[in-house]
Amino acid sequence: MGKKLVIIPTYNEKENISKMISAVLEVGQDYDVLIVDDGSPDGTAAIVKERQQAFPDRIHLIERTGKLGLGTAYIAGFKYGIKHGYDFLFEMDADFSHNPKDLPRLLAPLENGFDFSIGSRYVKGGATKNWPLDREILSRGASLYVRMITWMPIKDPTAGFICYKREVLETIDLDKIKFVGYAFQIEMKFSARSLGFKSIEVPITFADRIEGTSKMSNGIISEAIWGVLKMKIKSFTNSYRSTDS
């Protein structure tokens, strides 16, 4: 089946992180977890280190100095996973917006011809839970905008619950991925599809966080609006392919 690594970026997630680690480990003995913590002042990393004592081979931690952004956290996680021989690498939030029990459902299509799978709110069977109306409108509007600009046939291009085959991440030049906020999710999907990899959307229910604080900001929204347009224009003359692939 291959080695599996669930990558979870964190910043001030002390309320959630221990429970999330337990939930991922309970999915199966072959699921390892990597926390990429951006110097959380609330002690998130200390909680992870405490949990590592019981599962040193399954719980991994990258500690970074300062709040460096979602995108760079995942890039660090991808590089770690490739270096340590993982075959399937997952992206996942720490706040239980994504259900760890859905991890095998994301993996299944990759064992049947697809290269990466997307936990999608906006395909048949997908849903959101406990979302205010303004956030629902913003998210659906952003998804429509991205599809119009990029021409990607993905109904939830901003989704952050993903499973990649190792080959996808080895083929992409990860140093060319420039977005650091939620637009990072768009750029990763766009780069993978531009290199010919096959994607599929798996319906999930996305639940708003119960504990902790949302990381959404006006800067992140602005990056997505203007950055996606620049990304599409640049793609006509530049490839995301790694020179090592």
Side-chain angles (χ1 to χ4, degrees):
M1 298 289 286
K3 295 177 63 179
K4 306 169 188 65
L5 183 67
V6 180
I7 304 167
I8 304 176
T10 56
Y11 184 78
N12 287 349
E13 292 288 355
K14 69 177 183 179
E15 297 95 344
N16 295 305
I17 195 58
S18 184
K19 290 179 288 186
M20 175 55 73
I21 289 172
S22 294
V24 171
L25 297 185
E26 288 169 4
V27 172
Q29 289 291 330
D30 51 347
Y31 285 83
D32 294 350
V33 61
L34 169 64
I35 307 301
V36 184
D37 187 69
D38 274 4
S40 298
D42 72 347
T44 297
I47 296 172
V48 177
K49 290 176 182 176
E50 183 178 343
R51 295 299 310 274
Q52 278 184 305
Q53 295 177 22
F55 299 97
D57 297 327
R58 296 187 63 196
I59 301 173
H60 309 281
L61 173 65
I62 295 176
E63 291 186 88
R64 308 197 304 169
T65 304
K67 197 174 181 182
L68 302 177
L70 181 78
T72 62
Y74 275 126
I75 295 297
F78 293 155
K79 290 180 177 180
Y80 179 97
I82 291 170
K83 179 180 178 181
H84 290 84
Y86 286 93
D87 301 293
F88 302 99
L89 296 93
F90 295 82
E91 295 183 20
M92 189 175 182
D93 290 348
D95 61 6
F96 285 92
S97 296
H98 304 138
N99 188 340
K101 293 180 180 179
D102 286 329
L103 289 167
R105 296 179 58 242
L106 287 185
L107 177 65
L110 276 61
E111 298 172 331
N112 292 285
F114 291 94
D115 300 303
F116 67 105
S117 61
I118 302 158
S120 178
R121 297 161 286 190
Y122 303 136
V123 293
K124 184 178 180 180
T128 58
K129 183 179 178 182
N130 300 327
W131 266 24
L133 180 60
D134 59 345
R135 187 174 179 188
E136 183 86 27
I137 293 172
L138 176 63
S139 177
R140 288 185 177 274
S143 296
L144 177 60
Y145 171 78
V146 170
R147 293 201 304 274
M148 290 174 61
I149 298 297
T150 65
W151 310 338
M152 287 194 298
I154 295 176
K155 293 187 177 180
D156 196 354
T158 63
F161 194 14
I162 318 290
C163 182
Y164 290 102
K165 281 184 178 177
R166 172 195 181 96
E167 177 190 358
V168 177
L169 302 176
E170 287 181 322
T171 303
I172 297 171
D173 185 342
L174 296 173
D175 293 329
K176 289 184 178 179
I177 304 295
K178 299 304 182 184
F179 292 149
V180 297
Y182 286 90
F184 163 82
Q185 305 293 2
I186 302 167
E187 189 172 16
M188 281 298 300
K189 297 176 185 69
F190 182 77
S191 63
R193 287 190 58 86
S194 72
L195 294 172
F197 290 108
K198 293 173 60 179
S199 63
I200 186 172
E201 291 184 85
V202 177
I204 63 161
T205 296
F206 183 97
D208 200 12
R209 68 163 57 236
I210 297 172
E211 297 184 88
T213 305
S214 173
K215 311 302 188 294
M216 184 65 72
S217 69
N218 290 335
I220 289 172
I221 295 171
S222 177
E223 177 192 53
I225 293 173
W226 299 111
V228 168
L229 186 58
K230 292 177 182 177
M231 178 189 74
K232 178 62 179 179
I233 294 171
K234 190 176 180 180
S235 71
F236 291 116
T237 56
N238 293 275
S239 172
Y240 282 99
R241 185 175 299 276
S242 170
T243 55
D244 297 329
S245 64

